[in-house]
Amino acid sequence: MISRFRQFFQQLYARWLGHRLPPARQVQLNTRSLFIFPSKAGFSFLLLVVLCWLVATNYENNLVFGITCLLTSIFVVAILHSFANLSGLNISCSRVSPGHAGHPLTIELVLHQSGKRRRENLILAFAGHEPVAIDIEATEEARVKLGFVPSSRGLIDPGRLFVESLYPLGLFRVWTQIDLNIRCLVYPSPQTALNRRTTASSMDGDEELIVQILEGGEDFTGLSGYRPGDSPKRIAWKQFAREQGLYTKHYGSAQDERLWLDWNAFPGLDTEARLSRLCGILLSIVALDIPYGLKLPGLTIAPNTTDPHRLQVLRELALFGLPDRGGER
């Protein structure tokens, strides 16, 4: 019963927060977006003020009255300084480094202010992840990197950014939870490793992997016209230097030099397991500088070796079968 009430109030708070602080690329912290409340130390301090007032009125002690007024003024002034430590700060996301599910990726935030105010003891974190405490010097802009560990592939929303400050005396907690409308491109978690020379068996030992590493023999067999995606190591540079055209060298081998990352090579595995195997093999063969392509249901990407090709293949693996294929940051 208690868990149901807790879940109900959490949903109610989330709806209210979404209405008050909707998603935005950049958020300015102000009276609408900031919340302030006494901390545990603040309530203890307030209790001390009340006790001093009771003692002063009961014994008609002017010295205790003076101490009570001093403590009260400190409590009131702390409200202004605590709120000002976050107020006026603009927060936006500048860059998100793509990563793999289950592995940490980095989200870079930009904190900008119109003036040059020093701000101390700012704590930033995404829900469920390690917080980062920073101080902002008297500059107009500061950058901070936060870690985020996604649990699944696709375009992942890290959730609301939690920003908190207990400056200057720890009597008040000023916080906010803002949605910077971040979408992180997360690739499948890579699994397995590829043998360099021969047809490799899977990690379980009962399946065959998708491709062979086909480098050919050491005997030169001839030249052919250059095709986009051919390895630069195979280009006939001597003929190119003589202005005879751009050709690709071939060496003795009865096998195709192109590799295919094929969805159908892993029968019996579920979608996520297949994508993880394909992603692991991709990372293994990239360094070999051999043209590779991708075959997914309804999609074929021709072999190539370039970085844009690698990123395209990884993106297709990350978004395969997902309805949300919008832009990421």
Side-chain angles (χ1 to χ4, degrees):
M1 181 66 68
I2 296 178
S3 61
R4 290 182 179 179
F5 276 109
R6 183 184 296 111
Q7 185 178 8
F8 170 76
F9 283 112
Q10 286 177 348
Q11 294 175 351
L12 190 65
Y13 173 72
R15 288 197 298 267
W16 175 82
L17 196 62
H19 176 73
R20 185 178 180 88
L21 298 175
R25 297 280 184 171
Q26 178 174 309
V27 176
Q28 183 180 31
L29 303 185
N30 50 32
T31 55
R32 181 176 179 81
S33 57
L34 288 176
F35 310 101
I36 184 170
F37 202 71
S39 62
K40 292 181 180 179
F43 279 112
S44 300
F45 190 89
L46 189 60
L47 178 61
L48 176 62
V49 172
V50 173
L51 290 177
C52 288
W53 179 78
L54 291 176
V55 170
T57 55
N58 186 48
Y59 293 99
E60 297 183 354
N61 190 311
N62 292 332
L63 177 61
V64 179
F65 266 122
I67 293 176
T68 303
C69 294
L70 176 62
L71 294 179
T72 303
S73 63
I74 291 175
F75 189 83
V76 173
V77 172
I79 297 176
L80 303 177
H81 283 276
S82 299
F83 188 84
N85 195 45
L86 285 180
S87 181
L89 196 63
N90 290 276
I91 303 178
S92 61
C93 175
S94 65
R95 187 173 63 90
V96 178
S97 300
H100 297 271
H103 296 72
L105 55 84
T106 301
I107 300 176
E108 185 178 62
L109 303 177
V110 176
L111 285 67
H112 183 270
Q113 57 182 344
S114 57
K116 292 185 178 181
R117 176 190 178 90
R118 177 176 173 80
R119 301 173 187 268
E120 300 184 34
N121 193 28
L122 305 185
I123 300 174
L124 300 93
F126 289 101
H129 295 84
E130 191 70 21
V132 174
I134 65 167
D135 294 333
I136 301 179
E137 300 297 333
T139 58
E140 293 185 355
E141 183 177 289
R143 293 178 180 269
V144 58
K145 294 182 179 180
L146 298 182
F148 173 69
V149 182
S151 59
S152 59
R153 66 180 176 89
L155 284 176
I156 304 301
D157 182 357
R160 290 185 173 270
L161 175 67
F162 181 79
V163 185
E164 180 186 28
S165 173
L166 294 172
Y167 176 86
L169 301 177
L171 299 180
F172 288 91
R173 175 174 171 261
V174 184
W175 81 97
T176 186
Q177 289 178 277
I178 56 177
D179 189 345
L180 295 177
N181 199 23
I182 301 173
R183 295 295 181 271
C184 307
L185 181 60
V186 181
Y187 307 134
S189 178
Q191 294 182 9
T192 196
L194 192 62
N195 189 305
R196 181 181 176 88
R197 304 295 289 183
T198 61
T199 304
S201 60
S202 71
M203 293 192 306
D204 298 330
D206 58 354
E207 302 172 86
E208 287 190 353
L209 283 180
I210 202 177
V211 297
Q212 291 177 319
I213 299 301
L214 308 170
E215 296 184 296
E218 296 297 330
D219 298 329
F220 175 75
T221 58
L223 300 173
S224 67
Y226 173 79
R227 296 176 300 176
D230 286 346
S231 171
K233 297 180 180 179
R234 299 294 181 100
I235 295 178
W237 294 109
K238 291 183 179 180
Q239 284 75 10
F240 181 72
R242 296 169 186 169
E243 299 183 355
Q244 296 177 355
L246 192 59
Y247 295 93
T248 300
K249 294 185 289 186
H250 291 273
Y251 295 88
S253 174
Q255 297 171 310
D256 188 358
E257 295 177 352
R258 297 177 300 171
L259 309 178
W260 285 100
L261 307 175
D262 195 343
W263 170 273
N264 295 319
F266 298 106
L269 296 183
D270 60 23
T271 297
E272 298 304 322
R274 293 193 191 200
L275 294 175
S276 293
R277 295 292 180 89
L278 293 173
C279 186
I281 296 171
L282 169 62
L283 298 181
S284 299
I285 66 177
V286 163
L288 302 181
D289 202 22
I290 297 174
Y292 58 90
L294 177 66
K295 291 183 179 180
L296 295 176
L299 174 68
T300 299
I301 300 178
N304 207 321
T305 59
T306 62
D307 280 341
H309 173 72
R310 174 180 61 84
L311 295 177
Q312 181 187 8
V313 172
L314 284 171
R315 178 180 174 84
E316 293 299 335
L317 292 177
L319 302 180
F320 176 76
L322 299 180
D324 185 8
R325 297 177 63 91
E328 74 276 358
R329 286 197 293 165

